[in-house]
Amino acid sequence: MRRYIRALLMCTVFVVFSGFYVYSTLFEADVSAGANGAKRIYVPPRVPGPRQGFPDKTKPQSSHRKNRYIMRQRGQPEVSVQSRPQPRMDLAVVACGERLDETVTMLKSAVLFSIKCLHLHIFAEDQLHARFMEALESWPAFIRSRFNYTVYPIRFPSENAAEWKKLFKPCASQRLFLPLILKDVEALVYVDSDILFLQPVDRLWDFLSRFDSVQLAAMAPEHEEPRIAWYSRFARHPFYGRTGINSGVMLMNLTRLRNMFFKNDMTSVGLKWEELLMPLLQKYKLNITWGDQDLLNIIFHYNPELLLEFPCQWNYRPDHCIYGSNCASAEDNGIFIMHGNRGVYHDHKQPAFRSVYEAIQKYPFGADPVSSLLAPLEEQLLKTTHTYCGKSHALFTKALVQGLVGINRKTEHEW
């Protein structure tokens, strides 16, 4: 009888413990699954250092800790977002003399309106290097995440450096040597320091996809109307097309440019870019007024098939409105890139151009673009209607309104 009682007690104990085990297993499974299916976890990247899954207390912790992690479902393979290549655009500018503030404002407009990452190539006199770096590093982190930059010294061929440097405005002819200096860059947007972007740089960059099998550069005409254009009236050298081209905004396929043999009026055979420049200067230096821009006009006069023209709204200058509006593409769609040549950002001759420059220069990063940029600009433009360019003030904000949509977007790695 005692053996039966002992066996019964053992069975009872076994059943109780089995019940506890089943209950605890079901409870854990329910917590893991939750109400939304599989549990999502953060997995730290596999890097040398502290044990995976634990913070490194020897380093300051970022306020955006989740940026360093990737989310995956249990059982899925780890995929690092850092492994995805980030498309970028290359933008170059040359700054000498008193052009620092003007150049920084140009760079500000480019970064504000760009979508893809920018790499800025800044060619400047040595005394400006630290000031450029200080200005760019002072921008907030969410803006600095949109670009990288390199500051270069001014560099000309040693045997003719002085002649090239004084050709036109200080250092302006540096642009001619960018294909030879930036040997690892495949394509490039070059702009003068007095350029302002009112649309994303990406839209200009897209012209590269419109190049045919031989085109290697894109620029806008110097003027729309030959009867009042400078080249068609005064040039003493060959120039491109009916009115010449303006080199303030240049889109270049540098790989093609470095490999091309250019037709010319000096030899019966084509010359590479580095072989062409100095002989061209020697032949025409007494007949050119606008320096390196004139040399580019001569080159593309003899090689017109290599150039793609983009509309004047991509290089809108006072010449397009100073005697009345004569840029049809801007009238239709607004100004995409504004070119404040003739020093109009810094005097009172064309207040409409100066108003746009000052609005972008004063705009605080992160502020509401409508109330802090667009509204003050429209108010100032209404005060410029006594000038021909001011009468066309709607063109200055027509495209800008679209560009403002993404001005304060968060970049991918900030989420």
Side-chain angles (χ1 to χ4, degrees):
M1 186 67 180
R2 291 180 179 177
R3 279 186 293 175
Y4 287 115
I5 294 173
R6 204 177 291 133
L8 180 62
L9 289 173
M10 290 179 65
C11 290
T12 303
V13 170
F14 177 80
V15 170
V16 170
F17 278 102
S18 297
F20 276 121
Y21 173 79
V22 171
Y23 177 80
S24 63
T25 301
L26 291 173
F27 179 80
E28 288 181 4
D30 184 61
V31 170
S32 296
N36 298 313
K39 179 182 178 184
R40 290 185 176 269
I41 59 174
Y42 289 105
V43 180
R46 302 190 179 195
V47 294
R51 203 170 77 189
Q52 186 173 339
F54 294 86
D56 181 0
K57 296 183 179 180
T58 64
K59 298 180 180 179
Q61 299 298 306
S62 168
S63 60
H64 300 285
R65 290 183 58 202
K66 292 182 181 180
N67 295 348
R68 301 196 305 274
Y69 298 91
I70 51 175
M71 186 156 47
R72 67 177 178 92
Q73 284 189 327
R74 180 180 291 176
Q76 290 182 334
E78 299 178 24
V79 180
S80 173
V81 295
Q82 294 180 353
S83 66
R84 287 181 290 180
Q86 295 295 318
R88 82 173 199 191
M89 303 171 292
D90 289 88
L91 176 70
V93 66
V94 178
C96 289
E98 303 299 321
R99 297 280 181 164
L100 176 80
D101 292 340
E102 183 178 271
T103 306
V104 170
T105 304
M106 182 280 293
L107 296 172
K108 181 180 182 180
S109 73
V111 172
L112 278 174
F113 294 114
S114 66
I115 299 172
K116 292 191 290 289
C117 181
L118 278 170
H119 190 104
L120 309 176
H121 303 270
I122 304 167
F123 290 81
E125 292 173 308
D126 293 347
Q127 66 269 23
L128 298 179
H129 288 195
R131 295 172 64 189
F132 268 114
M133 296 172 67
E134 181 181 1
L136 296 178
E137 294 295 336
S138 70
W139 292 355
F142 84 98
I143 291 293
R144 284 188 281 113
S145 68
R146 301 182 189 179
F147 69 94
N148 298 310
Y149 70 92
T150 309
V151 179
Y152 305 83
I154 299 298
R155 295 165 57 186
F156 293 111
S158 56
E159 63 271 20
N160 308 106
E163 190 168 6
W164 282 113
K165 187 169 183 178
K166 68 180 182 181
L167 179 60
F168 184 47
K169 294 179 181 178
C171 308
S173 56
Q174 178 75 87
R175 83 184 86 187
L176 296 176
F177 299 95
L178 297 183
L180 310 178
I181 298 172
L182 302 176
K183 295 181 179 180
D184 296 327
V185 177
E186 296 181 1
L188 182 75
V189 172
Y190 167 84
V191 293
D192 286 346
S193 61
D194 53 7
I195 291 295
L196 288 173
F197 289 90
L198 306 182
Q199 280 283 290
V201 182
D202 309 61
R203 296 193 62 181
L204 178 62
W205 192 260
D206 287 343
F207 275 94
L208 285 169
S209 64
R210 306 186 194 183
F211 283 12
D212 64 22
S213 59
V214 298
Q215 288 171 332
L216 49 76
M219 284 180 268
E222 172 72 12
H223 214 284
E224 304 303 299
E225 176 50 62
R227 291 175 297 177
I228 57 176
W230 191 92
Y231 281 107
S232 55
R233 293 188 295 162
F234 304 117
R236 296 178 293 162
H237 57 78
F239 56 89
Y240 173 86
R242 298 188 309 151
T243 63
I245 45 175
N246 185 279
S247 60
V249 180
M250 297 174 59
L251 179 62
M252 295 178 280
N253 183 321
L254 296 185
T255 301
R256 289 185 180 182
L257 197 149
R258 285 186 286 260
N259 294 331
M260 180 61 63
F261 287 88
F262 293 86
K263 298 188 293 290
N264 60 88
D265 62 346
M266 297 173 292
T267 69
S268 58
V269 298
L271 296 176
K272 299 289 285 289
W273 189 259
E274 63 269 26
E275 302 169 333
L276 180 63
L277 296 177
M278 196 61 211
L280 205 62
L281 176 61
Q282 294 297 337
K283 179 171 182 176
Y284 287 104
K285 63 182 178 181
L286 299 179
N287 295 319
I288 57 178
T289 303
W290 308 111
D292 51 296
Q293 176 173 288
D294 290 345
L295 296 182
L296 290 167
N297 267 280
I298 297 168
I299 291 172
F300 287 107
H301 170 83
Y302 291 106
N303 301 271
E305 73 281 2
L306 304 183
L307 185 70
L308 174 69
E309 285 188 40
F310 47 65
C312 51
Q313 66 189 134
W314 290 101
N315 189 348
Y316 189 91
R317 297 170 292 113
D319 303 72
H320 291 115
C321 57
I322 196 171
Y323 303 118
S325 183
N326 57 52
C327 177
S329 61
E331 292 173 7
D332 292 339
N333 302 301
I335 300 168
F336 288 179
I337 294 179
M338 193 174 78
H339 187 175
N341 65 336
R342 304 173 184 264
V344 294
Y345 295 153
H346 313 294
D347 60 29
H348 298 282
K349 294 179 180 179
Q350 294 299 331
F353 282 79
R354 179 168 179 163
S355 295
V356 178
Y357 175 80
E358 292 181 345
I360 293 176
Q361 185 183 45
K362 295 175 182 178
Y363 170 72
F365 289 116
D368 175 56
V370 175
S371 61
S372 299
L373 198 162
L374 182 61
L377 174 57
E378 289 179 328
E379 182 179 349
Q380 288 301 311
L381 287 172
L382 290 175
K383 301 176 183 178
T384 70
T385 54
H386 60 285
T387 66
Y388 278 115
C389 292
K391 286 181 171 64
S392 301
H393 62 88
L395 306 185
F396 291 83
T397 56
K398 190 172 185 178
L400 178 62
V401 173
Q402 303 168 0
L404 294 179
V405 172
I407 201 170
N408 281 331
R409 73 192 181 286
K410 284 184 176 291
T411 53
E412 181 179 358
H413 70 273
E414 289 182 287
W415 290 97

